[in-house]
Amino acid sequence: LRNATVAHDEVNQLLKTGGIEMGRLKPLSHEKPVLKDPMGLQCVAHLHNPKWTKLARAIRESIYDPDFYDDGTYGPMYVRLAIHGAATWDKNDQTGGLEGARMRFKPEYSDAHNKFCKEVIKRQHELLKVPFPWASYADIQCLCAYVALECAQGPVIPFTPGRRDVLEPKNLKEDIPKPDGDNFVVLNYRQRGDAGCEDDPVLCPASGKSGDCPFMQLAKIMPGRVPGPEQGHLGKPCEPVTPENEKKELKEVAKYIRKVFVERIGASEQHTVALIAGGHSLGRCHPQISGYAGPWQSNPGYFNNVYCKKLLSEDWKIVDRNMEDCSGDMITGLKPYGMRRQYVNKGGKGDLMMLISDMALREDPYFGYWIQEYALDNERLKTDFGIAFKWITEIGFEPPKEKRGLEKLRFKFRKFKADALRWIAENICNADDGGDSAGPVYLPADAPKVGDPYTMQEVGKHASQQDCWVAINGKVCNLTEFMKVHPGGVQPIMSNAGKDASTDWNAIHNK
């Protein structure tokens, strides 16, 4: 891999100099670049705890690797991992998003568009999670993207920590009750103020027990939410594409992009273009991963608006696997794999590629307007991308307030007390008296009502996200405010809004 990257750089240097460096004895410098403070650290400069600066610095050191095939940098992969996780968000049922770092597990992990993530997740675990165990995988994935963008001359995005991780129920400790269903269980995170162990589920606010609360779970995201670049209207593979089919394909792909980003995720058309244009300024496609091949710009390790400029100015031709690759690119080449089709500049003889979805943005009158705007103004693209990227990496996530002063001291005491009590329980008081432990007592679902109770008809009037009541074991609970902060999202509560949730509740809490 290193040899392919070095050879690629050598060939490009000879082409740029017209071959006059053919006799150069010393090879091109292909070593890890040295980045000095504050490069890559400005995204955490506002956080008062220095541990985040140390983590950001470690991320910065992990980005560049001359032996890595992808132009010597993992930066584009860091950004891609974060955006693929965040782009699973569905505003309609409040599921998906970066919260939980669910990309580490199936089924999200097995999405065809996420084949690249295995190596990146492994790298982040070994170089970042192991030496910084206090940080959640979800926070690490997000901060990696922010630091990578900053080091690539992209926007400085203020990082907000506090994303929780999840665990599959089957991997919970033996003494923790396994919840019904197949959802992920949300774990403790001391960055958010939890005193419990970070490999244990969040305590249920009602029972005080862990692993048994339906509101502390996150749904598994099935493959298919990460958008693909083609919609299948180009005709049979390896046959010439007619202008009519090409026009129809571009129209359908633009419609699909709007359906995913605007209707499902909730982004504006402007921020949709900013996210795609900024994201595609970094990195390249790999035929062994996506089936597409080549970079969008000649300097894929840096953030800029060249993608927009090239999209408007170059002569693009649609190609398939039968094309003649004239790019000289020794890393991935520009020949798509299998049934894939893509565009290549210079009438199919160039060294850059565009996806069908990229060309669809250009041809769509609304998306195309923003492509033209960003082609004229790199700073505007950087600003808009920064705003859109921060937004999409925070949807479905309720940031905690940073603890300072007396509040921070109280929290440290709380953690110390919790750890001390746990140690005493495990090492001193771990005697089995053979009796049943006294757990919380719950009213049966048909408990008799006392006083002047609410009727279910009245409870049913409060069934919106702005005014949500549920009945649980003979008591009416107003969950409007709790819904905003609970890690499981809005959907589990809203499914029982205005109803008697006792059956669902007791199915878990009375075990």
Side-chain angles (χ1 to χ4, degrees):
L1 297 180
R2 178 185 174 89
N3 291 338
T5 309
V6 172
H8 176 80
D9 290 348
E10 290 283 353
V11 170
N12 276 309
Q13 183 69 11
L14 290 174
L15 292 174
K16 290 177 182 178
T17 59
I20 61 175
E21 292 193 6
M22 186 70 74
R24 176 169 43 81
L25 297 178
K26 186 178 180 181
L28 285 172
S29 174
H30 201 267
E31 302 301 324
K32 183 176 180 178
V34 178
L35 299 179
K36 298 181 179 180
D37 297 349
M39 177 66 75
L41 309 182
Q42 298 175 79
C43 55
V44 295
H46 61 289
L47 299 176
H48 296 87
N49 196 321
K51 66 181 182 180
W52 291 107
T53 301
K54 293 179 181 178
L55 175 56
R57 188 176 285 112
I59 292 172
R60 185 182 68 185
E61 291 302 307
S62 75
I63 291 175
Y64 294 99
D65 184 354
D67 293 331
F68 182 50
Y69 68 92
D70 200 10
D71 303 289
T73 172
Y74 277 89
M77 293 296 200
Y78 285 177
V79 176
R80 205 85 72 225
L81 179 66
I83 192 66
H84 277 218
T88 61
W89 176 254
D90 190 330
K91 67 177 184 180
N92 302 302
D93 61 11
Q94 304 285 296
T95 60
L98 198 56
E99 179 83 341
R102 285 164 282 185
M103 186 76 77
R104 297 172 295 141
F105 306 108
K106 293 181 179 180
E108 191 170 337
Y109 176 86
S110 58
D111 192 300
H113 298 291
N114 294 334
K115 290 182 180 179
F116 72 92
C117 70
K118 182 178 181 180
E119 184 176 356
V120 182
I121 290 174
K122 182 175 182 288
R123 184 178 182 84
Q124 291 180 350
H125 170 77
E126 294 175 348
L127 300 184
L128 302 170
K129 179 63 175 179
V130 172
F132 299 92
W134 50 265
S136 68
Y137 285 103
D139 271 350
I140 288 175
Q141 289 180 6
C142 184
L143 185 56
C144 278
Y146 286 14
V147 173
L149 285 166
E150 191 175 325
C151 292
Q153 300 181 3
V156 175
I157 307 175
F159 173 71
T160 303
R163 294 164 185 80
R164 296 182 187 272
D165 284 337
V166 295
L167 194 66
E168 292 182 289
K170 65 180 181 181
N171 293 327
L172 291 174
K173 296 177 181 178
E174 292 183 1
D175 58 335
I176 296 177
K178 304 298 188 291
D180 292 334
D182 199 33
N183 288 342
F184 288 114
V185 177
V186 177
L187 300 180
N188 286 312
Y189 190 27
R190 293 196 167 184
Q191 182 64 34
R192 290 198 65 96
D194 301 325
C197 291
E198 294 191 341
D199 56 351
D200 289 342
V202 180
L203 294 177
C204 173
S207 69
K209 298 164 65 179
S210 60
D212 62 351
C213 182
F215 299 134
M216 299 299 175
Q217 300 176 20
L218 290 178
K220 290 186 176 181
I221 305 303
M222 301 305 295
R225 290 198 183 183
V226 178
E230 294 185 57
Q231 284 297 297
H233 300 282
L234 292 174
K236 294 181 179 180
C238 300
E239 290 189 1
V241 179
T242 65
E244 293 77 17
N245 285 350
E246 182 179 6
K247 184 177 180 180
K248 182 179 180 181
E249 173 73 357
L250 296 179
K251 184 177 180 180
E252 291 300 318
V253 170
K255 186 186 299 183
Y256 177 66
I257 293 173
R258 189 169 281 107
K259 179 180 179 181
V260 170
F261 282 90
V262 179
E263 297 176 16
R264 175 167 63 78
I265 299 177
S268 66
E269 291 181 333
Q270 177 184 357
H271 284 167
T272 296
V273 175
L275 284 170
I276 296 175
H280 286 183
S281 71
L282 298 168
R284 62 171 63 228
C285 289
H286 308 85
Q288 73 274 25
I289 296 177
S290 64
Y292 305 98
W296 286 274
Q297 60 146 321
S298 57
N299 200 353
Y302 291 91
F303 183 98
N304 52 46
N305 66 341
V306 171
Y307 162 89
C308 297
K309 292 180 177 180
K310 294 292 184 180
L311 189 56
L312 296 174
S313 62
E314 291 281 343
D315 175 23
W316 297 98
K317 180 182 178 181
I318 194 167
V319 301
D320 56 29
R321 68 187 184 197
N322 294 321
M323 69 167 288
E324 178 187 2
D325 190 349
C326 304
S327 65
D329 189 298
M330 302 180 70
I331 300 177
T332 59
L334 263 71
K335 182 180 292 188
Y337 178 78
M339 298 186 295
R340 308 297 192 200
R341 288 184 173 100
Q342 65 186 48
Y343 287 88
V344 173
N345 66 333
K346 297 181 181 179
K349 304 292 184 181
D351 57 352
L352 301 177
M353 61 81 67
M354 289 286 170
L355 299 172
I356 304 298
S357 54
D358 298 317
M359 205 60 60
L361 292 180
R362 189 189 77 171
E363 296 302 311
D364 184 86
Y366 299 99
F367 291 142
Y369 170 81
W370 290 109
I371 290 291
Q372 295 179 42
E373 289 293 308
Y374 293 140
L376 297 173
D377 193 341
N378 182 57
E379 288 303 312
R380 186 173 187 181
L381 173 61
K382 183 187 293 188
T383 299
D384 288 352
F385 178 84
I387 294 171
F389 198 81
K390 180 174 177 62
W391 169 80
I392 200 170
T393 52
E394 291 186 356
I395 48 179
F397 160 60
E398 185 70 28
K401 293 182 180 179
E402 184 179 8
K403 292 176 176 58
R404 300 186 63 193
L406 184 59
E407 186 181 3
K408 183 177 180 180
L409 184 63
R410 287 173 179 168
F411 175 59
K412 285 188 174 181
F413 175 75
R414 219 174 101 211
K415 287 200 297 184
F416 173 79
K417 179 181 177 181
D419 290 341
L421 291 175
R422 187 180 299 108
W423 185 88
I424 292 172
E426 292 176 353
N427 295 277
I428 299 177
C429 304
N430 192 20
D432 187 5
D433 58 6
D436 295 333
S437 60
V441 179
Y442 297 93
L443 291 172
D446 57 351
K449 309 300 184 293
V450 296
D452 185 18
Y454 292 106
T455 65
M456 285 308 301
Q457 184 178 6
E458 187 170 357
V459 173
K461 297 177 181 179
H462 304 269
S464 67
Q465 191 169 333
Q466 293 72 35
D467 182 20
C468 178
W469 290 13
V470 299
I472 301 177
N473 298 328
K475 293 184 178 181
V476 175
C477 304
N478 186 342
L479 301 182
T480 307
E481 294 302 319
F482 172 73
M483 186 163 39
K484 299 176 182 178
V485 298
H486 106 275
V490 175
Q491 191 272 336
I493 297 179
M494 286 302 299
S495 63
N496 284 300
K499 303 175 184 177
D500 189 334
S502 301
T503 302
D504 292 342
W505 185 268
N506 292 331
I508 298 175
H509 293 78
N510 276 345
K511 287 185 176 179

